Amino acid sequence: MTVTGTGNAPDVVDVVALGESMVTFLPARPGRLADVPSFHRSIGGAESNVACALAAAGHTTRWVSRVGADGFGDHLVEAIGAYGVDVSHVRRDPSRPTGVYFRTAGDRADDAHEVAYYRAGSAASAMSPAGVDLDAVRAGRVLHLSGITAALSPDCLALMRELTAPRPGRPLISFDVNHRPGLWGEGRNPDVLLELARGADIVFVGEDEALQAWGLRGARAVREALPEPEIVVVKQGKGGAVAFDKDTDGLCEDADGTATFVRALHVDVVAAVGAGDAFAAGFLSATLRGLPVRDRLRHGHLAAAATLTTPGDLTTPPPRPLADRLAALDAPAWETLRLGPGWTDADAEAAEEAPTP
């Protein structure tokens, strides 16, 4: 797959990301939300996380969204802009608030993990085809979207349908399913996420969320349900990820002619939040560089490892020379590589010599 521009407009960027971001409150210490006495303020949003990570990796990016005309909206725009992301097309809504959420320090997969969202009626939920600058949204080589936006409101769903509809000269559409059961609620059908994914060019979906949202079991079943996208990446947690590609490149580690599987890295996890967004950013960065599918998956795993070994949702990706060197390892070296906190600050040779499990 070759990524091309969308025209000669002077404001064309590598990646545009559209979606809601919220101010995140991270606990000062472990424990139930009821017991945590104080929180540290941060930012969180699947699409803006991808834009920030790509900007930190040297790509030009834009975040398009809607925030309240309040202090939290100021903070989001300033914090995301500080990564080098173009935030000039974020609209301010004087009648709706910026969304916020609180979470516990534990892993999301842990039964004790708690998240409290305060996003109902947020400014971002008012996004619509008429309420965003569609030219600015489409002025990228890649447009990155997620299923979270579709769940926010009927207007947001209409916007997602507009952006994923076939049209001449549209950017390459990247879609992260990001199924959030709590956002859909009773009586709302997440099958619409399957519809949107079928309109994309690159799809990211977890094997677990495909089962939960659509009843699809296994990576092959996901690909069969999504025949249209050029690439479907099915993430298999700690096992790895498999990419189904219409244009296989012959550099598969474990391939049957249409699928490339790359094992996940051994990582000393600090916090498991934000790894999926980092994976998408690493994969898209490698896609923009024209790397083969195997290396795109490896760069996704490396970017995820950078986030997994830090406490926040968002971290600086590994330096490109280091990531390129690690991505080029032979299969045995890749499978025995182990990464821990601070690995992105080490040189490549030191990272390669990290202890194996």
Side-chain angles (χ1 to χ4, degrees):
M1 175 188 295
T2 301
V3 184
T4 60
T6 59
N8 298 317
D11 61 346
V12 170
V13 295
D14 290 333
V15 178
V16 176
L18 176 143
E20 180 173 35
S21 292
M22 294 180 289
V23 172
T24 309
F25 289 94
L26 308 176
R29 63 172 175 79
R32 302 184 310 152
L33 287 179
D35 301 327
V36 174
S38 60
F39 296 81
H40 302 294
R41 185 183 63 178
S42 184
I43 60 174
E47 301 85 1
S48 61
N49 283 351
V50 171
C52 290
L54 284 166
H59 299 282
T60 55
T61 65
R62 171 180 299 140
W63 173 53
V64 178
S65 189
R66 196 177 182 95
V67 299
D70 50 33
F72 287 148
D74 293 341
H75 176 61
L76 282 175
V77 172
E78 292 167 5
I80 294 169
Y83 278 87
V85 178
D86 172 15
V87 294
S88 61
H89 295 278
V90 177
R91 296 192 174 177
R92 310 302 294 265
D93 190 329
S95 61
R96 292 170 178 263
T98 303
V100 300
Y101 76 97
F102 298 76
R103 68 170 174 84
T104 51
D107 189 333
R108 277 181 177 157
D110 191 306
D111 290 340
H113 182 70
E114 298 174 74
V115 180
Y117 289 105
Y118 299 90
R119 74 195 309 175
S122 69
S125 70
M127 289 190 294
S128 69
V132 300
D133 184 341
L134 292 177
D135 289 336
V137 172
R138 292 179 171 130
R141 298 169 64 196
V142 175
L143 171 58
H144 182 69
L145 307 167
S146 95
I148 294 172
T149 305
L152 297 181
S153 69
D155 281 343
C156 283
L157 175 55
L159 174 61
M160 292 290 287
R161 283 178 164 147
E162 168 70 22
L163 294 174
T164 56
R167 59 179 286 131
R170 79 173 192 177
L172 184 146
I173 303 295
S174 165
F175 181 72
D176 193 336
V177 171
N178 259 326
H179 176 234
R180 297 287 188 268
L183 284 178
W184 289 95
E186 190 174 350
R188 301 186 65 204
N189 192 343
D191 279 354
V192 70
L193 297 176
L194 192 63
E195 168 202 332
L196 296 172
R198 294 182 67 177
D201 300 296
I202 299 176
V203 175
F204 301 96
V205 60
E207 200 169 58
D208 55 346
E209 62 184 345
L211 176 62
Q212 185 177 39
W214 307 325
L216 299 173
R217 189 176 299 276
R220 179 66 59 181
V222 175
R223 180 49 160 172
E224 289 173 355
L226 295 170
E228 295 87 356
E230 289 293 321
I231 297 179
V232 174
V233 179
V234 182
K235 297 174 289 183
Q236 299 173 317
K238 294 180 180 179
V242 58
F244 296 91
D245 178 20
K246 289 185 177 179
D247 299 316
T248 54
D249 51 43
L251 294 177
C252 305
E253 288 187 347
D254 181 9
D256 61 6
T258 59
T260 305
F261 173 76
V262 173
R263 296 186 185 280
L265 292 161
H266 301 286
V267 177
D268 297 327
V269 177
V270 173
V273 181
D277 302 331
F279 181 95
F283 189 95
L284 291 175
S285 176
T287 299
L288 287 161
R289 296 169 60 199
L291 299 184
V293 171
R294 187 208 69 170
D295 290 0
R296 298 181 199 183
L297 288 167
R298 285 189 168 197
H299 277 277
H301 285 312
L302 288 164
T307 296
L308 289 168
T309 52
T310 56
D313 294 30
L314 189 58
T315 192
T316 301
R320 185 173 291 182
L322 171 59
D324 283 345
R325 181 164 181 172
L326 296 180
L329 292 173
D330 60 24
W334 175 266
E335 293 178 8
T336 56
L337 184 65
R338 185 171 198 132
L339 302 173
W343 73 270
T344 56
D345 298 324
D347 63 37
E349 290 188 11
E352 284 182 47
E353 294 169 359
T356 58

